[in-house]
Amino acid sequence: MLDEMKNTDLFADYYKQWVQVYKEGAIRDVTLAKYHMTQSWVEKLMPDTKLCEMTRIAYQQLINDYAATHEKQTTMDFHHQLKGAILDAVDEGLIDRDPTRKVIIKGKAPANKKLKYLNQYELHTLLSSLTLDDEVNWDYFILLVSKTGMRFSEALALTPDDFDFAHQTLSISKTWDYKHSGGFTPTKNKSSVRKIQIDWRTVMQFAELTKNLPKDEPIFVHKENDAYEQVYNSTVNGILERYCKNLGISVISVHGLRHTHASILLYAGVSIGSVARRLGHASMTTTQKTYLHIIQELENQDVDLVMRSLSNLI
């Protein structure tokens, strides 16, 4: 185990063992994959560095080398995934002093990422064109994500039991592991466990749709011979893309429907806090960063409103 390592062992070997001991089986697979990616970068960028050679300069050089090809936020995540292991190595006497102290996080300038979402007219056009018969199909999936802003994996995990039609709410408490073998998995974070209020029309549609379905089985993942079918994000994205092109509206993905939901609420005057809770964001900061351009646009409208209000006082 870790206590058998010496300060002359490679840091890359220590980090690999640290991930195995402290992270495997303790965190979600998607998070574990990030630690494994960090591990591969350590092996690539400092393959020969020993634990006793992990000084502040050596660590800063590691961060600089990683930052040369990554944005600042990604570099910050890389640093955080390394720091826990390094502090443990310091506690065990394998590294003399904390080399992460006063580290400077650098990174490439962030790419100009423009959110893809539909405006209210385009969303109305899309939803009006959906085929919503008496059987479950991907059109119902598109409708529900548009009305709730759920993540793809959250929507796949929905069961009839998650609906409270009497109180017009939908409970989000799990996700579906569509990237691997299927099955229910925990939500992205504690804030993702939430109840979403839904409108009466959606209540009526899904009350009828789910009344004869197994109460604890996923609505949108079919089961045959005791095995769940494999669901691909690209399948639903392809359907949505085809609909958008046929309707002559902006082409977006399922995740774009989540952005659409949030943007329409913000433009309608819903508070940042309410939108953050509805989306299951860990903090309002995430919502503010993601929808900064919309918030700035609304603030500009507020300035115009303030000026008009003040000019009418005389």
Side-chain angles (χ1 to χ4, degrees), residues 246-302:
N246 290 341
L247 294 168
I249 60 178
S250 303
V251 175
I252 62 168
S253 63
V254 171
H255 196 68
L257 291 176
R258 178 171 162 86
H259 291 319
T260 298
H261 181 79
S263 65
I264 286 177
L265 293 182
L266 290 170
Y267 280 124
V270 177
S271 70
I272 295 291
S274 294
V275 173
R277 286 190 294 272
R278 195 168 174 88
L279 295 180
H281 282 164
S283 71
M284 285 191 292
T285 302
T286 303
T287 315
Q288 290 168 330
K289 286 182 179 179
T290 305
Y291 302 102
L292 179 61
H293 67 293
I294 295 176
I295 294 169
Q296 290 174 335
E297 184 178 333
L298 293 172
E299 286 177 345
N300 291 336
Q301 293 178 10
D302 286 344

Side-chain angles (χ1 to χ4, degrees), residues 118 122-124 126-127 130 138-151 155 196 198-199 202 206 240 252-265 278-279:
L118 304 178
E122 289 177 315
L123 180 60
H124 176 73
L126 172 65
L127 299 186
L130 297 178
W138 289 119
D139 287 25
Y140 275 109
F141 187 90
I142 291 170
L143 171 70
L144 196 58
V145 174
S146 301
K147 290 290 191 80
T148 62
M150 283 186 294
R151 299 177 178 92
I196 300 176
I198 52 179
D199 63 276
T202 304
F206 278 85
L240 181 56
I252 62 168
S253 63
V254 171
H255 196 68
L257 291 176
R258 178 171 162 86
H259 291 319
T260 298
H261 181 79
S263 65
I264 286 177
L265 293 182
R278 195 168 174 88
L279 295 180

Side-chain angles (χ1 to χ4, degrees), residues 156-159 162 174-177 182-186 216-218 228:
L156 282 181
L158 286 178
T159 68
D162 293 323
K174 56 194 178 301
T175 62
W176 188 258
D177 187 17
F184 296 117
T185 54
D216 58 352
E217 294 286 346
Y228 292 105

Side-chain angles (χ1 to χ4, degrees), residues 15 28 46 60 96 105 107 141 157 159 165 186 197 216 251 264 271 285:
Y15 187 74
R28 299 174 68 225
M46 51 165 40
Q60 184 66 63
D96 287 340
I105 304 299
F141 187 90
T159 68
F165 297 119
Q197 204 75 28
D216 58 352
V251 175
I264 286 177
S271 70
T285 302

Side-chain angles (χ1 to χ4, degrees), residues 116-175:
K116 290 188 175 182
Y117 60 90
L118 304 178
N119 60 37
Q120 191 157 354
Y121 169 77
E122 289 177 315
L123 180 60
H124 176 73
T125 300
L126 172 65
L127 299 186
S128 298
S129 72
L130 297 178
T131 301
L132 305 172
D133 295 328
D134 55 358
E135 292 186 358
V136 175
N137 58 23
W138 289 119
D139 287 25
Y140 275 109
F141 187 90
I142 291 170
L143 171 70
L144 196 58
V145 174
S146 301
K147 290 290 191 80
T148 62
M150 283 186 294
R151 299 177 178 92
F152 181 75
S153 59
E154 293 172 343
L156 282 181
L158 286 178
T159 68
D161 274 345
D162 293 323
F163 286 88
D164 183 346
F165 297 119
H167 295 93
Q168 293 186 217
T169 59
L170 180 58
S171 295
I172 309 298
S173 60
K174 56 194 178 301
T175 62

